Amino acid sequence: MKLYRDMDEFEMDNSVVAIGTFDGLHIGHAALIARVKALAQAEGAPALALTFDRHPLSELGALGAPSEILSREEKRARFEQMGVDGLIEQPFTPEFAGLSPEEFADRLAGALRPRVAVVGYNFRFGRGGAGDARALSAMGERLGFRVDVVAPVCSGGEPVSSTRIRALLAGGDRAAAERLLGHPIGISPQST
């Protein structure tokens, strides 16, 4: 897996890219990455994951970012284990946070040249979270890529989310949190 510190470092002609915060890399995220890999194989393009060098709420939230589920190193190792060809850790600077949805889509298209962008059902992007999957799909039509939206993965009748996992951990239910994560907490991927 190749690590990129910015979208602009990517130099290939095309890609299939998953976009998200991916905090925890839980079973819902695993479904999204599996979809990216399948589409990348069908398209003959590299499978990429676009995430951020810090949680977006560290720039946007009044209370700061939520607690980490995985360290940056653990996150990288999990992406590699999941089989992506490239991981982009985009710096989430005030300038990047200030991009409008259209500016973000233009930058994505120019830098990664995606054939397909894969996002979760609750995906938000652009300044203030103004854009959603439907907006990205419309922008993608104009910019030459399509958008594939992955439905929620549910457990116990509720969507799996990092917020839910944090609540389980805060309540001391590590076993339930690990079931939703699909991997043990604090153990290197080579051990799992």
Side-chain angles (χ1 to χ4, degrees), residues 85-109:
D85 299 310
L87 173 62
I88 301 154
E89 291 178 343
Q90 181 65 38
F92 201 85
T93 62
E95 295 76 24
F96 189 84
L99 294 176
S100 70
E102 294 80 8
E103 290 168 329
F104 174 84
D106 287 344
R107 182 145 180 221
L108 178 74

Side-chain angles (χ1 to χ4, degrees), residues 12 20 22 26 37 47 50-51 60 62 67 70 73 75 87-89 91 101 126 132 140 149 161 168 173:
M12 297 183 78
F22 299 116
H26 55 63
K37 288 172 52 183
L50 169 60
T51 191
L60 305 174
S67 60
L70 294 176
E73 293 74 24
K75 195 172 176 179
L87 173 62
I88 301 154
E89 291 178 343
D132 60 11
V149 181
S161 70
L168 288 167
D173 196 344

Side-chain angles (χ1 to χ4, degrees), residues 5 27 38 48 68 72 103 114 117 136 140 146 155-156 170 179 188:
R5 306 276 182 182
I27 60 175
L48 302 179
E68 281 188 344
R72 185 181 296 189
E103 290 168 329
L136 186 60
R146 68 184 195 278
S155 176
R179 277 193 301 278
S188 70

